[in-house]
Amino acid sequence: QGEHHASPQAAAQQSPDALLALDKIRLESHLREALESKLLEVRLQPILDIHAKRVAGFEALTRWTHPERGPVSPADFIALAEETSLIVPVGDYVLHEVCGALRGIATPPGSPQPFIALNVSGRQLDDPGLLDRFLTVLRAHEVSPAQLKVEITESLVLDYAQVSRIIERCHGAGMKVALDDFGTGYSNLGHLHKLQFDTLKMDQGFIRQMHDPRCLAIVRAVVGMADSLGCDIVAEGVETDEQLATLDSLGCKYAQGYLIGKPLPIAEAVALLR
Ligand code: C2E
Ligand code: MG
Ligand code: MG
Ligand code: MG
């Protein structure tokens, strides 16, 4: 399925700084070309409602296959896009693809509408025009903002006032907001209660170590905390039946991971709902 990432930096690691900079410039222009010729692919990874045993929604994850280097990890090209402000057109492209996918999803009347969660990076959050552009694109595709969930990585939640304003504006527009990679960043619990996230996404590191009773205790506490805060909770990186059963027994409502499904081409993801 091509879910393996080769680091573009790996080869350049031993080269002198000048070469590295040159490499970056070359890679940047390749990324720009990829964007223009629509060579970036948005994939959708299913998110399971564990109890109802149905796909509740998806997370959009972007893929770039470089013509010579092969697949480039999003961790690398998103960072590159951030540095060069290419992240703005990349983000807009991802949203277009997501809206197109949402438009193609027809759910029978009365059944819950699936959502798509979209990762938003630091530069994008600093862009004051971001939400207005989001709303314009949603309107153009006739997609309800309620079907869009904005994912903000915990390590970006440094400026609480800024994040709080963003959450308010998203809610005002009818969009949902998730705190991504919960437990890995600067999880300042003293501030968490002030931020009205709709969803907490528990980082995959916790799920991987649930066999450790002390880690399991933390997962249990996080599930309980999310519940008390009125937040949905998604366990990330679920890879085994055992992990899924444990999460279910702890009352965790949603799961995402290779066990449920890898990030899929949009058409395959949409077909999964039928
Ligand atoms: P993330 O938002 O935390 O996304 C989850 C990552 O975990 C994805 O990595 C996904 O492929 C991976 N994953 C899902 N299930 C499993 C599993 O069962 N086991 C393991 N080992 N991994 C699993 P990916 O696609 O490489 O993306 C890495 C990060 O890059 C994302 O982390 C997100 O922060 C960022 N990213 C990806 N696409 C975009 C995008 O379109 N825009 C922005 N701004 N960031 C993006
Ligand atoms: Mg995410
Ligand atoms: Mg995550
Ligand atoms: Mg992550």
Side-chain angles (χ1 to χ4, degrees), residues 111-221:
S111 67
Q113 296 274 336
F115 64 86
I116 298 184
L118 186 94
N119 292 286
V120 167
S121 59
R123 263 282 180 105
Q124 291 175 279
L125 290 181
D126 289 337
D127 170 4
L130 180 81
L131 289 185
D132 286 334
R133 282 208 312 286
F134 271 24
L135 291 174
T136 306
V137 176
L138 285 164
R139 224 173 284 127
H141 285 82
E142 295 173 37
V143 167
S144 160
Q147 284 184 272
L148 197 71
K149 196 179 278 191
V150 173
E151 288 196 6
I152 301 176
T153 300
E154 190 183 67
S155 58
L156 289 176
V157 186
L158 295 172
D159 182 347
Y160 292 91
Q162 183 205 27
V163 173
S164 176
R165 272 195 307 276
I166 289 163
I167 295 174
E168 264 170 43
R169 287 192 61 204
C170 285
H171 285 168
M175 292 183 263
K176 300 268 188 349
V177 192
L179 179 58
D180 202 359
D181 306 331
F182 177 74
T184 58
Y186 311 86
S187 24
N188 186 331
L189 296 176
H191 283 288
L192 187 61
H193 73 281
K194 291 183 223 153
L195 301 172
Q196 308 271 336
F197 287 105
D198 302 280
T199 305
L200 291 188
K201 297 192 76 176
M202 203 174 355
D203 191 69
Q204 51 187 55
F206 294 102
I207 312 309
R208 204 173 299 129
Q209 294 181 71
M210 271 194 311
H211 50 84
D212 173 350
R214 294 173 63 84
C215 188
L216 185 68
I218 290 176
V219 173
R220 181 184 292 116

Side-chain angles (χ1 to χ4, degrees), residues 15-96:
S15 344
D17 282 359
L19 256 184
L20 223 142
L22 188 69
D23 197 57
K24 213 179 229 177
I25 291 166
R26 198 179 296 139
L27 204 59
E28 184 202 333
S29 79
H30 289 175
L31 179 57
R32 198 180 297 275
E33 282 163 26
L35 183 64
E36 279 158 13
S37 40
K38 303 204 185 280
L39 288 176
L40 291 184
E41 188 198 2
V42 175
R43 291 199 165 207
L44 298 178
Q45 186 175 32
I47 297 172
L48 180 77
D49 179 327
I50 301 175
H51 198 68
K53 294 190 170 67
R54 81 185 160 76
V55 174
F58 301 92
E59 175 174 6
L61 294 160
T62 306
R63 296 289 174 261
W64 178 26
T65 306
H66 189 280
E68 289 124 40
R69 294 164 191 251
V72 182
S73 161
D76 292 329
F77 76 79
I78 294 293
L80 182 72
E82 280 253 291
E83 272 179 53
T84 57
S85 67
L86 264 179
I87 193 68
V88 174
V90 167
D92 289 352
Y93 172 75
V94 175
L95 180 66
H96 265 280

